[in-house]
Short mmCIF file of all heavy atoms in Angstrom, two decimals:
data_model
loop_
_atom_site.label_atom_id
_atom_site.label_comp_id
_atom_site.label_asym_id
_atom_site.label_seq_id
_atom_site.Cartn_x
_atom_site.Cartn_y
_atom_site.Cartn_z
N ASP P 38 192.74 54.95 82.36
CA ASP P 38 193.36 55.37 83.63
C ASP P 38 193.36 54.28 84.70
O ASP P 38 192.83 54.46 85.79
CB ASP P 38 192.67 56.64 84.15
CG ASP P 38 193.48 57.29 85.26
OD1 ASP P 38 194.71 57.16 85.25
OD2 ASP P 38 192.86 57.93 86.13
N CYS P 39 193.93 53.12 84.38
CA CYS P 39 194.13 52.08 85.38
C CYS P 39 195.59 51.64 85.30
O CYS P 39 196.27 51.91 84.32
CB CYS P 39 193.18 50.91 85.17
SG CYS P 39 193.38 50.04 83.62
N GLU P 40 196.07 50.98 86.33
CA GLU P 40 197.47 50.57 86.35
C GLU P 40 197.75 49.42 85.38
O GLU P 40 198.76 49.40 84.70
CB GLU P 40 197.87 50.16 87.77
CG GLU P 40 197.95 51.31 88.73
CD GLU P 40 198.35 50.87 90.12
OE1 GLU P 40 199.02 49.82 90.25
OE2 GLU P 40 197.97 51.57 91.07
N HIS P 41 196.84 48.44 85.37
CA HIS P 41 197.02 47.26 84.53
C HIS P 41 195.77 47.04 83.69
O HIS P 41 194.67 46.96 84.22
CB HIS P 41 197.29 46.02 85.39
CG HIS P 41 198.51 46.17 86.23
ND1 HIS P 41 198.46 46.50 87.55
CD2 HIS P 41 199.81 46.04 85.92
CE1 HIS P 41 199.69 46.57 88.03
NE2 HIS P 41 200.53 46.29 87.05
N LEU P 42 195.97 46.93 82.40
CA LEU P 42 194.87 46.69 81.47
C LEU P 42 195.23 45.48 80.61
O LEU P 42 196.26 45.47 79.94
CB LEU P 42 194.64 47.92 80.59
CG LEU P 42 193.53 47.83 79.56
CD1 LEU P 42 192.17 47.61 80.22
CD2 LEU P 42 193.49 49.10 78.71
N PHE P 43 194.39 44.46 80.68
CA PHE P 43 194.63 43.23 79.93
C PHE P 43 193.48 42.96 78.97
O PHE P 43 192.35 43.32 79.22
CB PHE P 43 194.73 42.03 80.88
CG PHE P 43 195.91 42.06 81.79
CD1 PHE P 43 195.79 42.57 83.07
CD2 PHE P 43 197.13 41.57 81.37
CE1 PHE P 43 196.88 42.59 83.92
CE2 PHE P 43 198.23 41.59 82.21
CZ PHE P 43 198.10 42.10 83.49
N MET P 44 193.82 42.28 77.87
CA MET P 44 192.81 41.75 76.98
C MET P 44 192.91 40.23 77.07
O MET P 44 193.97 39.65 76.82
CB MET P 44 193.01 42.20 75.55
CG MET P 44 191.87 41.75 74.64
SD MET P 44 191.97 42.41 72.98
CE MET P 44 193.03 41.20 72.22
N TYR P 45 191.82 39.61 77.44
CA TYR P 45 191.74 38.15 77.57
C TYR P 45 191.34 37.58 76.22
O TYR P 45 190.33 37.98 75.65
CB TYR P 45 190.70 37.82 78.64
CG TYR P 45 190.41 36.35 78.82
CD1 TYR P 45 191.21 35.57 79.64
CD2 TYR P 45 189.32 35.76 78.21
CE1 TYR P 45 190.93 34.23 79.84
CE2 TYR P 45 189.03 34.42 78.39
CZ TYR P 45 189.84 33.67 79.21
OH TYR P 45 189.57 32.34 79.40
N ARG P 46 192.15 36.66 75.70
CA ARG P 46 191.89 36.04 74.39
C ARG P 46 191.91 34.54 74.49
O ARG P 46 192.60 33.98 75.33
CB ARG P 46 192.99 36.43 73.39
CG ARG P 46 193.08 37.86 73.06
CD ARG P 46 194.16 38.07 72.02
NE ARG P 46 193.99 37.12 70.93
CZ ARG P 46 193.98 37.45 69.65
NH1 ARG P 46 194.16 38.68 69.30
NH2 ARG P 46 193.82 36.54 68.72
N GLY P 47 191.19 33.90 73.61
CA GLY P 47 191.26 32.46 73.48
C GLY P 47 190.03 31.74 73.98
O GLY P 47 189.07 32.34 74.45
N LYS P 48 190.09 30.41 73.84
CA LYS P 48 188.99 29.54 74.27
C LYS P 48 189.57 28.26 74.87
O LYS P 48 190.65 27.83 74.50
CB LYS P 48 188.10 29.17 73.09
CG LYS P 48 187.31 30.31 72.52
CD LYS P 48 186.41 29.83 71.41
CE LYS P 48 185.63 31.00 70.84
NZ LYS P 48 184.74 30.59 69.78
N ASN P 49 188.81 27.68 75.77
CA ASN P 49 189.17 26.41 76.40
C ASN P 49 190.57 26.46 77.00
O ASN P 49 190.84 27.26 77.87
CB ASN P 49 188.99 25.25 75.43
CG ASN P 49 187.57 25.16 74.90
OD1 ASN P 49 186.63 25.48 75.61
ND2 ASN P 49 187.42 24.75 73.66
N GLU P 50 191.47 25.60 76.54
CA GLU P 50 192.81 25.52 77.10
C GLU P 50 193.80 26.47 76.43
O GLU P 50 194.92 26.62 76.89
CB GLU P 50 193.32 24.10 77.02
CG GLU P 50 192.51 23.14 77.87
CD GLU P 50 192.96 21.71 77.72
OE1 GLU P 50 194.06 21.47 77.17
OE2 GLU P 50 192.21 20.82 78.15
N GLN P 51 193.41 27.11 75.35
CA GLN P 51 194.27 28.03 74.62
C GLN P 51 193.89 29.47 74.96
O GLN P 51 193.31 30.17 74.15
CB GLN P 51 194.11 27.81 73.12
CG GLN P 51 194.60 26.48 72.62
CD GLN P 51 195.99 26.61 72.05
OE1 GLN P 51 196.96 26.35 72.74
NE2 GLN P 51 196.09 27.01 70.82
N VAL P 52 194.22 29.91 76.15
CA VAL P 52 193.89 31.28 76.56
C VAL P 52 195.16 32.03 76.97
O VAL P 52 196.13 31.43 77.40
CB VAL P 52 192.87 31.32 77.71
CG1 VAL P 52 191.56 30.69 77.29
CG2 VAL P 52 193.41 30.65 78.95
N TRP P 53 195.14 33.33 76.80
CA TRP P 53 196.24 34.16 77.27
C TRP P 53 195.74 35.58 77.51
O TRP P 53 194.70 35.98 77.02
CB TRP P 53 197.42 34.13 76.31
CG TRP P 53 197.17 34.64 74.93
CD1 TRP P 53 197.39 35.89 74.47
CD2 TRP P 53 196.67 33.91 73.81
NE1 TRP P 53 197.06 36.00 73.14
CE2 TRP P 53 196.60 34.79 72.72
CE3 TRP P 53 196.26 32.58 73.63
CZ2 TRP P 53 196.14 34.40 71.47
CZ3 TRP P 53 195.80 32.21 72.38
CH2 TRP P 53 195.76 33.10 71.32
N TYR P 54 196.52 36.31 78.27
CA TYR P 54 196.22 37.70 78.58
C TYR P 54 197.23 38.59 77.86
O TYR P 54 198.43 38.41 78.02
CB TYR P 54 196.32 37.94 80.09
CG TYR P 54 195.24 37.24 80.87
CD1 TYR P 54 195.39 35.93 81.31
CD2 TYR P 54 194.04 37.90 81.15
CE1 TYR P 54 194.39 35.30 82.02
CE2 TYR P 54 193.04 37.27 81.86
CZ TYR P 54 193.23 35.97 82.30
OH TYR P 54 192.23 35.36 83.00
N VAL P 55 196.73 39.54 77.09
CA VAL P 55 197.59 40.48 76.38
C VAL P 55 197.73 41.72 77.27
O VAL P 55 196.73 42.37 77.57
CB VAL P 55 196.98 40.86 75.02
CG1 VAL P 55 197.86 41.86 74.30
CG2 VAL P 55 196.75 39.62 74.16
#
Side-chain angles (χ1 to χ4, degrees):
D38 194 30
C39 62
E40 290 180 26
H41 300 100
L42 179 62
F43 294 95
M44 186 174 86
Y45 175 84
R46 296 182 49 130
K48 292 183 180 181
N49 302 327
E50 296 176 14
Q51 294 262 96
V52 298
W53 62 94
Y54 292 87
V55 179

